[in-house]
Amino acid sequence: MKTVPVICVDGPSGVGKGTLSLQLADSLGWHLLDSGALYRVLGLACSQSAVPLDDAPAVATVARSLDVRFQSGGDGVRVWLGDSDVTTVIRTEAGGRGASEVAVHVEAREALLLRQRELARLPGLIADGRDMGTVVFPDAPLKIFLTASAEARAERRLLQLQGMGESVSLARLLADIEERDARDRNRAASPLVAAEDAIVVDSTTLTADAVMHLVRDLAVSRGIVEE
Ligand code: C5P
């Protein structure tokens, strides 16, 4: 059986993983795993069922029966929770905070592990997240760890949220990003850390296109994709 090539794109919030992953998946014709969306949906599902986000066993129970679906289409990937299209609602700042609160629970993470691995299908998978290279796909032939200063990330996020009609201050966003970074880096379960064999790419002063070309060239040089 042919092994499915996986390119992991890990890194902190707002660093451009989503843009890079989508561009890579589109240009290669590969599948895309947005693992952050899974945690965002889990946070939302818990809130909707009044499950406290710090109740580890209860959050894990919700994770095990999470009725989440990803649907690729002309306007990108739509995310469904049961019969509701939650694509937009999970992208808010509150959605990100809820995700990072449920993501600290090891049992809930384990419940989502198999679902993520099942998405690795030919011709290949771009896996976007925090622990793609360290935990979910440790044997992936290319692991990128994307970084950028917290200020640059807050500015990018501001533009993104303004585009969605959400109004937030830059200072508030920076504080949120730093709080989320600290929680993601310091948690016991799958903390945000570059895999030993990851290539660290600092995107602070790079355009999205430049990052995309850099990663594509790496994939070509490793024989994962053709020129
Ligand atoms: O990438 P995104 O901002 O959508 O992720 C939301 C939150 O989900 C992150 O702050 C992190 O706490 C959690 N997450 C995670 N592991 C992943 C992806 C996301 O813990 N692989």
Side-chain angles (χ1 to χ4, degrees), residues 40 88-97 153-170 172-174 176-177 180:
R40 286 172 185 262
T88 311
V89 70
I90 58 167
R91 293 288 150 215
T92 57
E93 275 305 283
R97 234 173 295 131
R153 290 185 279 135
E155 277 164 24
R156 288 176 196 168
R157 184 80 184 124
L158 184 68
L159 290 177
Q160 212 178 30
L161 287 173
Q162 282 171 342
M164 286 164 54
E166 218 184 312
S167 78
V168 239
S169 77
L170 186 62
R172 171 75 204 277
L173 276 179
L174 185 59
D176 259 13
I177 279 189
R180 202 131 62 95

Side-chain angles (χ1 to χ4, degrees), residues 13 17 34-37 39-40 91 96 99-100 103 109 116 128-132 180 184 187:
S13 306
K17 300 185 301 290
D34 174 358
S35 61
Y39 290 95
R40 286 172 185 262
R91 293 288 150 215
S100 110
R109 300 194 72 89
Q116 298 177 74
D128 163 349
R130 303 290 189 291
D131 60 345
M132 299 296 101
R180 202 131 62 95
D184 290 350
R187 68 182 178 215

Side-chain angles (χ1 to χ4, degrees), residues 102-182:
V102 293
V104 301
H105 304 308
V106 69
E107 257 186 88
R109 300 194 72 89
E110 276 168 11
L112 298 180
L113 198 55
L114 200 62
R115 288 171 191 246
Q116 298 177 74
R117 290 191 176 142
E118 280 170 357
L119 294 173
R121 303 209 179 115
L122 288 170
L125 178 74
I126 307 295
D128 163 349
R130 303 290 189 291
D131 60 345
M132 299 296 101
T134 49
V135 176
V136 184
F137 301 108
D139 300 326
L142 180 59
K143 300 175 183 177
I144 303 296
F145 192 84
L146 208 53
T147 65
S149 70
E151 290 74 15
R153 290 185 279 135
E155 277 164 24
R156 288 176 196 168
R157 184 80 184 124
L158 184 68
L159 290 177
Q160 212 178 30
L161 287 173
Q162 282 171 342
M164 286 164 54
E166 218 184 312
S167 78
V168 239
S169 77
L170 186 62
R172 171 75 204 277
L173 276 179
L174 185 59
D176 259 13
I177 279 189
E178 285 173 342
E179 183 192 325
R180 202 131 62 95
D181 278 1

